[in-house]
Amino acid sequence: MASFSEYQEYIDQGIDWIMDILPNLITATIILVVGWWIVKFINRLVHKFFQKKDYDLALESFLQSFISIALKLLLFVLVITQLGVKSSSLVALVGAAGLAVGLALQGSLANFAGGVLILIFKPFKVGDFISAQGVDGTVKEITIFTTKLNTFGNQLAILPNGQLSNNNIINYNAEETRRDKIDIGIGYGSNIKKAKEILLEICADQTGILKDPAPAVFVGELADSSVNLTLRFWAKNEDFWDAHFAVIEETKLRFDEAGIEIPFPQLDVHQKG
């Protein structure tokens, strides 16, 4: 059983060790607190700088994220060095850790590279409405690892940049105008020419539908229970959905007035007596 003198020796050694590292520990703590405040201050300055400049919103978001992470890593190195870790040892440690982390975080590195590619080739920008990875939404923010979309239902969708940059993307705002395609079925006994005239009149009455290129209607299919007409028209992006829904509503109202039947599925049941 250890004697009191041996315990006292361990206690003295512990006190000596604490006293040896205490100055460095206090200095490291001060560096951490002050450095963290400086990092937040610089981040605010960067944010204000981009607010005053008319840069691409995607580039602003990406650079702000990158600068914030870089400053925090620099602060971490300063604190560790102050605690007595030699620079050469730290470099070796960071190199070994970097290899291990790189293997473990291949997806994150791919996302970072994907973010860079998105900023370079600009398949979309903040504010564009896109369809990607099975999600439709308006681009809210592009960070170094992910892209955030606001969906129709105002949900936030977060997509990894790596997959986003390597798969198909539909950008609905890349062009100023869009073409709509609406299929409308009428009964076999209805007047096809009259139905086509009504659809073209509807398009002419809608201010959001472009006159050039002109709207067009044609018979798309002779289906089992209906003659399917296909209406195509062009509209500016900001007018597209208003025009789309207005045409559908007006079609039903005017077809009813003209006596043009829009067939619907029916089931006839015959009972034998």
Side-chain angles (χ1 to χ4, degrees):
M1 186 174 181
S3 63
F4 176 77
S5 59
E6 292 176 338
Y7 284 123
Q8 185 64 41
E9 182 180 353
Y10 294 142
I11 293 173
D12 292 340
Q13 290 177 355
I15 292 173
D16 291 339
W17 180 78
I18 292 174
M19 295 304 294
D20 288 339
I21 70 166
L22 187 59
N24 289 339
L25 183 60
I26 294 174
T27 305
T29 303
I30 294 173
I31 292 174
L32 178 61
V33 173
V34 175
W36 191 261
W37 181 86
I38 292 174
V39 168
K40 294 175 66 175
F41 178 74
I42 293 176
N43 286 335
R44 286 197 298 268
L45 288 180
V46 171
H47 180 68
K48 291 180 179 179
F49 171 79
F50 282 122
Q51 283 185 326
K52 295 179 180 179
K53 301 294 183 179
D54 188 20
Y55 291 121
D56 183 15
L57 292 178
L59 179 62
E60 292 179 15
S61 177
F62 186 91
L63 289 178
Q64 287 183 63
S65 299
F66 183 80
I67 291 172
S68 178
I69 292 175
L71 290 174
K72 290 173 182 178
L73 287 175
L74 178 60
L75 177 61
F76 171 76
V77 172
L78 291 175
V79 171
I80 292 298
T81 304
Q82 185 58 41
L83 289 175
V85 179
K86 295 181 179 179
S87 300
S88 57
S89 302
L90 182 61
V91 170
L93 179 63
V94 170
L99 178 61
V101 172
L103 293 174
L105 300 179
Q106 293 183 44
S108 296
L109 294 176
N111 290 333
F112 176 80
V116 174
L117 291 175
I118 289 172
L119 289 175
I120 292 175
F121 294 106
K122 298 183 182 301
F124 55 82
K125 62 182 184 297
V126 173
D128 283 350
F129 185 83
I130 68 170
S131 177
Q133 301 295 302
V135 179
D136 298 337
T138 302
V139 179
K140 178 181 180 181
E141 185 179 6
I142 303 173
T143 67
I144 60 175
F145 295 119
T146 61
T147 294
K148 299 178 181 179
L149 306 181
N150 273 121
T151 66
F152 271 123
N154 200 33
Q155 292 94 11
L156 180 64
I158 302 176
L159 308 181
N161 285 337
Q163 298 179 21
L164 193 58
S165 64
N166 285 288
N167 286 279
N168 296 332
I169 300 171
I170 299 176
N171 187 343
Y172 293 97
N173 292 108
E175 304 294 339
E176 293 184 358
T177 59
R178 290 173 60 181
R179 186 176 70 175
D180 199 1
K181 175 179 177 290
I182 300 177
D183 295 321
I184 303 165
I186 63 174
Y188 271 92
S190 298
N191 189 321
I192 294 178
K193 291 185 177 180
K194 181 62 176 177
K196 293 172 69 175
E197 289 176 2
I198 291 174
L199 291 174
L200 291 177
E201 288 175 359
I202 293 173
C203 291
D205 293 341
Q206 296 298 319
T207 57
I209 294 179
L210 299 177
K211 304 301 185 287
D212 185 22
V217 186
F218 52 87
V219 177
E221 181 184 14
L222 299 176
D224 293 337
S225 58
S226 65
V227 177
N228 293 336
L229 303 179
T230 297
L231 170 65
R232 292 179 176 176
F233 62 82
W234 291 82
K236 293 183 178 180
N237 283 317
E238 58 268 25
D239 300 326
F240 181 84
W241 287 112
D242 289 340
H244 174 86
F245 294 123
V247 167
I248 293 176
E249 181 176 346
E250 281 295 314
T251 297
K252 177 63 170 67
L253 295 174
R254 298 196 191 187
F255 275 14
D256 287 347
E257 292 176 357
I260 296 175
E261 178 192 5
I262 300 179
F264 57 91
Q266 301 182 60
L267 177 64
D268 295 330
V269 178
H270 300 278
Q271 183 178 359
K272 294 183 178 179

